[in-house]
Amino acid sequence: MLGLDFPTIGWIVLALSALVVGIAKTSIGGMGALAVAGFALFIPAKESTAAVLLVLIIGDVVAVSTYRRSADWAMLRRLLPAVLPGIVLGALLMLVVDDTTMTIVIGLSILAALALQLALRHRPAPPPDVEPHLAATVGAGVAAGFTTMVANAADPVMALYLLAARVDKMRFVGTNAWFFLLVNVAKLPFSAGLGLLPASTLVLTAVLAPTVLVDTWLGRRLLRRLSQQMFEGLTLAASLVAAIVLLASALV
């Protein structure tokens, strides 16, 4: 069961991670993986997935209320059916592997997705609003479901998928907001079934909730000031940093 007797530095990192959630949910999607890494530094990986899940849902609700009209529902309808198999696979993995192995798998998955996206950026750009290939959509859905279940680390997967589809930044955050609200709520029964939602996790969520709400306001202001090019660059950079932090925390 998750305890709340963190050292001072632990509370600082958890609070900063909650702040990052607020920014990630309303502006730079790839930054969400930084929050996952922050939680995993002070909470065992499996327990941290549930601890951060409730914090993420708070950010999801605010993001949807802000960007609900910007979502691409055609894209969501293609993606969501492939997510459930990924969630089931992730839940099964959590039953059989230890925290260190799971963290390494997620870090490597983020790096692989980032490498693929960087390679694609050197190819001729597709027309704007191009519909991704069905295989890419199914792969992204399964990967997002798997990574979000085992470590709440699907932000880079979705970020890379949406960037590859060349959506503009407003459609990016709107689609991202609805996707993660629906998926994160769907994950709650799985987390509860794995015994990862004790009362102490609910208390931690209540303590950190105000920091999430404050930074959703900051994220909205930040998004208005970012150019499309800077938005994409920061999203990719955040994915890379998150992967490095996750791998370092598992290997050190």
Side-chain angles (χ1 to χ4, degrees):
M1 181 176 291
L2 173 66
L4 299 180
D5 53 340
F6 305 113
T8 300
I9 185 63
W11 280 110
I12 292 173
V13 171
L14 290 174
L16 290 175
S17 298
L19 288 172
V20 168
V21 168
I23 295 176
K25 291 302 179 182
T26 50
S27 56
I28 306 169
M31 289 186 69
L34 289 173
V36 172
F39 271 74
L41 289 175
F42 292 93
I43 302 173
K46 293 182 182 180
E47 287 80 359
S48 73
T49 62
V52 75
L53 174 60
L54 298 178
V55 175
L56 290 170
I57 289 175
I58 295 171
D60 291 329
V61 171
V62 176
V64 164
S65 68
T66 304
Y67 301 117
R68 59 188 179 278
R69 293 187 179 88
S70 300
D72 186 328
W73 282 100
M75 184 174 289
L76 285 171
R77 284 192 292 270
R78 292 192 297 269
L79 266 174
L80 288 172
V83 174
L84 183 58
I87 291 176
V88 173
L89 289 173
L92 292 174
L93 179 68
M94 294 176 73
L95 289 173
V96 299
V97 303
D98 59 24
D99 290 330
T100 300
T101 301
M102 188 168 64
T103 303
I104 292 173
V105 168
I106 296 306
L108 292 176
S109 297
I110 294 172
L111 284 178
L114 180 60
L116 176 61
Q117 175 60 20
L118 290 175
L120 291 174
R121 288 170 73 86
H122 291 290
R123 299 176 62 183
D129 299 327
V130 64
E131 181 178 323
H133 191 278
L134 177 60
T137 299
V138 172
V142 173
F146 176 81
T147 53
T148 194
M149 186 65 222
V150 299
N152 292 300
D155 276 39
V157 176
M158 274 298 291
L160 297 173
Y161 177 78
L162 293 173
L163 291 179
R166 301 284 174 169
V167 300
D168 63 80
K169 64 181 183 180
M170 293 306 298
R171 192 147 56 97
F172 181 110
V173 293
T175 304
N176 214 45
W178 274 109
F179 177 87
F180 280 107
L181 176 61
L182 295 172
V183 170
N184 284 336
V185 170
K187 285 160 48 184
L188 285 173
F190 291 91
S191 294
L194 291 167
L196 301 177
L197 288 173
S200 56
T201 297
L202 302 179
V203 173
L204 179 62
T205 301
V207 171
L208 296 177
T211 60
V212 180
L213 296 175
V214 167
D215 253 34
T216 55
W217 172 82
L218 177 60
R220 291 194 296 269
R221 294 177 63 86
L222 178 63
L223 184 65
R224 290 196 294 267
R225 288 166 170 74
L226 290 176
S227 67
Q228 183 72 22
Q229 183 178 10
M230 183 177 294
F231 173 79
E232 293 185 7
L234 288 173
T235 296
L236 293 172
S239 300
L240 175 61
V241 172
I244 292 172
V245 172
L246 285 171
L247 289 173
S249 68
L251 297 175
V252 172

